[in-house]
Amino acid sequence: MEPGSRIESALDRAVAYAEAPGAPPLLAEAMRYAVFPGGHRIRPRLCLSVARACGDDDPVAADSAAAAIELLHCASLVHDDLPCFDDAPTRRQKDTVHVAYGTPIAVLTGDALIVLAFETLARGAWRHPRRLVRLVSLLGRAAGSPMGIAAGQAWESEAHVDLSAYQQAKTGALFAAATVAGAAAAGAEPEPWRRLGEALGEAYQVADDLRDVACRQEEIGKPAGRDATLGRPNAAALLGTGGALDRLARLTREAVAAVPDCPGADRLTAEIEAQARLFLPASLRPVSA
Amino acid sequence: MEPGSRIESALDRAVAYAEAPGAPPLLAEAMRYAVFPGGHRIRPRLCLSVARACGDDDPVAADSAAAAIELLHCASLVHDDLPCFDDAPTRRQKDTVHVAYGTPIAVLTGDALIVLAFETLARGAWRHPRRLVRLVSLLGRAAGSPMGIAAGQAWESEAHVDLSAYQQAKTGALFAAATVAGAAAAGAEPEPWRRLGEALGEAYQVADDLRDVACRQEEIGKPAGRDATLGRPNAAALLGTGGALDRLARLTREAVAAVPDCPGADRLTAEIEAQARLFLPASLRPVSA
C-alpha cells in the first residue's frame, strides 16, 4: 500500500475506536472532524519513510506510530486554535473545531486525541512490546513538558521567551518524533535519526513563517499575517522572503546530510527533498532544476 | 514503604521529569501546583492495594501505574475547572489552576499531565514490556473516548444525556482503571478486577453528590451546591441524604463482594472498607459499629 493510503487507513482505524458505541456523539464527530480531511500528513509520511529506510519489518507498528504522531499534531492544532490562544476562525479551509462544536468540545477533542495517540501505539505494537516502551517515551517527550508541543505553546505565556526552545518544542519536537519513532517502530536505534527530524522541523518552521507573511488566506487555509497580529517571531519578517527561502534550502540540505547510513538512504533522500518542496505553497516554490 | 509515601514519591519523580531544565517555568510550576498537595489519593491507593493483593512482584511498575492514574485524575480536574466548563474558583482549598496561572497555562497543564501519565507508565514498566501494552490500553480506555473521562465530560455538551454512560465515564472509568491497572502492573489478569473498581466508582459518585448537597465549602475545599447551580443530576438530591447514604453502603458491600479470589483478599477488603469511609467528610460518616 502507498504511504498516503497507509496513513489514512491507520488514522481511520484509530478514530473508529474513539467513535465506538457509547461515545458521546458530538465528541466523536469533532474528533473525526479534527483529523479528516488532513493536510499533507508531512509528519506521518516522514515517519513511514524512515521506517522503510530501516527495513519496516513490522508495518503495523510503523503505521500506528505514524498515526499516533498525526493524532498528537491534530490535538495540538485544535488546542492552539482555541479562543484563549490564537482564537483562529479557520483551519484547513474550514471552521476550527471550537467554532464548529464549541469550546468545551474542542478542549475535550484535544484531550481525547492525545489519549488516542497512546492507545493507538499500544494497539499497533503488541508484536514488539519492547518497541512500545521506546515509542511511548519518544512520543511523550515530543508532546509534553519540558520540551514537547505543550511546552512550546506554554512559552507564549512567558514574559521572557527562549526563542530557540520555543521553536524547537513547538515545531521541531514532533518532526524529531516522526524520525525517531519511525526508526523505533522498525526496531532500529532511534537517536541517530533525531537530527534529521530536527533539521526538517526547523525547515518547516521557516516555510510556515514564509506562508504566514507571503500568502493569501485562500492558499494556506488559515488566516495570513497571524504572527504579526499576535506579536510572534517570524523568520520571513526577520530575514526577508529571499533570506528565508535561502535558509529553508540550507536546512533541507542539512537534513539530507543527517540521514544515517542505511540501505534505503538514497530513496529516503529523494523523498525528503520532495516532501520539503511541499512545505511551501505553489506560489513560493522554487522552479525545479 | 507505606502506600501514601510510595504514591507521593512516585508522583514527585514523575513531575520532576516535566520540570527538567528547558521547561517553560510557568507550565512546570502549574503542573506541580495541580498535583501537590493532593486529596486522599483514593485512586492510586486503590491501584496499589490491588497490586499488593496480586503479589506486587514489580513495585516500580505498580507505583508508575498508580502515579499515572493520579496524573490523569489531576489533568481532568484542571480541565473540568476551566471557565468553559465548571468555571470553578477553588479546588483542594486553593485557587484553581486557571485562576492562579491563567486559562492558556491551565489548558496546557492538563494536556501535559495526560502525556506525563503515559510517559510515567513507560518509565516504570521497562522490566515487563508486555504489561506496558496492557497498562497503556487500560489507562487510555479510562481517559479518552468512547468511555473515559473526556467522554464523560463531553456528555455535558449533549442535549440528551445518557446518565449512566455519563457517570460511568466521568467517575467510574478511572476507578475501574485503578483496579485493573493494579492487577496488570502485578502481572495478573486485569478484567476480573474491573467490577470492584466500577462499584467503588459508583459509591464515590454517590458520596461526591452527598458532599455537594450536604457540606459547606470549607469542609470540601470547593464550592458546595454546584450540581444544582449547573443543573447536573445528583443522587442525594434525588434520594435524600438518608437514601443516598444507604445506597453508598450497598455499593461498598457490592465492591467487597466483587473482590476476586486471591491470597490478599482479606486485607484488601479491610482496606476498601476503610477507604470507602474516607469518601465522605467527617460530618457525614456513619459512627463505626
Side-chain angles (χ1 to χ4, degrees), chain A residues 108-121:
Chain A
L108 297 168
T109 297
D111 293 357
L113 288 174
I114 296 172
V115 172
L116 185 60
F118 291 100
E119 287 187 276
T120 301
L121 285 182

Side-chain angles (χ1 to χ4, degrees), chain B residues 17-18 24 49 54 72 95-96 100 104 114 119 133 160 165 188 196 230 232 235-236 241 244 248 254:
Chain B
Y17 274 102
S49 293
C54 294
L72 290 175
D95 287 348
T96 46
I114 295 171
E119 286 186 276
V133 179
H160 300 283
L196 166 61
L230 300 166
R232 288 192 300 218
T241 302
L248 174 58
E254 217 180 299

Side-chain angles (χ1 to χ4, degrees), chain B residues 212-236:
Chain B
D212 184 73
V213 165
C215 297
R216 285 167 310 117
Q217 169 160 355
E218 302 81 69
E219 198 176 10
I220 58 177
K222 59 181 179 180
R226 298 290 293 175
D227 289 342
T229 310
L230 300 166
R232 288 192 300 218
N234 182 301

Side-chain angles (χ1 to χ4, degrees), chain A residues 75-88 98 107 149-150 152-157 170 226 230 232, chain B residues 27 79 82 102-109 111:
Chain A
S76 83
L77 297 181
V78 174
H79 281 186
D80 285 4
D81 287 339
L82 285 171
C84 68
F85 295 111
D86 293 2
D87 197 14
H98 67 92
V107 171
I149 318 171
Q153 183 74 6
W155 278 110
E156 295 180 11
S157 294
K170 192 159 178 196
R226 298 291 292 174
L230 300 165
R232 288 190 301 217
Chain B
L27 176 65
H79 280 186
L82 285 172
T103 296
I105 288 290
V107 171
L108 296 169
T109 296
D111 293 357

Side-chain angles (χ1 to χ4, degrees), chain A residues 160-225:
Chain A
H160 300 282
V161 179
D162 178 334
L163 191 61
S164 134
Y166 166 61
Q167 291 189 330
Q168 210 177 324
K170 192 159 178 196
T171 314
L174 213 48
F175 274 87
T179 54
V180 294
E189 265 309 311
E191 288 310 318
W193 292 89
R194 185 172 293 279
R195 181 58 202 146
L196 166 60
E198 285 173 351
L200 284 173
E202 286 175 64
Y204 184 81
Q205 181 66 55
V206 174
D208 202 49
D209 289 357
L210 274 161
R211 291 146 58 100
D212 184 73
V213 165
C215 297
R216 284 168 308 114
Q217 168 160 355
E218 303 82 69
E219 197 176 10
I220 58 178
K222 59 182 179 181

Side-chain angles (χ1 to χ4, degrees), chain A residues 18 25-26 79 85 111 115 140 145 158, chain B residues 18 25-26 79 104 111 115 140 145 158:
Chain A
L26 283 176
H79 281 186
F85 295 111
D111 293 357
V115 172
S145 181
E158 295 287 339
Chain B
L26 284 175
H79 280 186
D111 293 357
V115 172
S145 182
E158 294 287 339

Side-chain angles (χ1 to χ4, degrees), chain A residues 9-10 29 47 53 70 75 80 103 108 143-144 154 169 173 175 232-233 235 239 244 251 253 283:
Chain A
S9 145
E29 197 180 310
C47 178
E70 183 68 9
D80 285 4
T103 296
L108 297 168
F175 274 87
R232 288 190 301 217
L239 307 171
L251 284 163
R253 287 194 300 275
S283 64

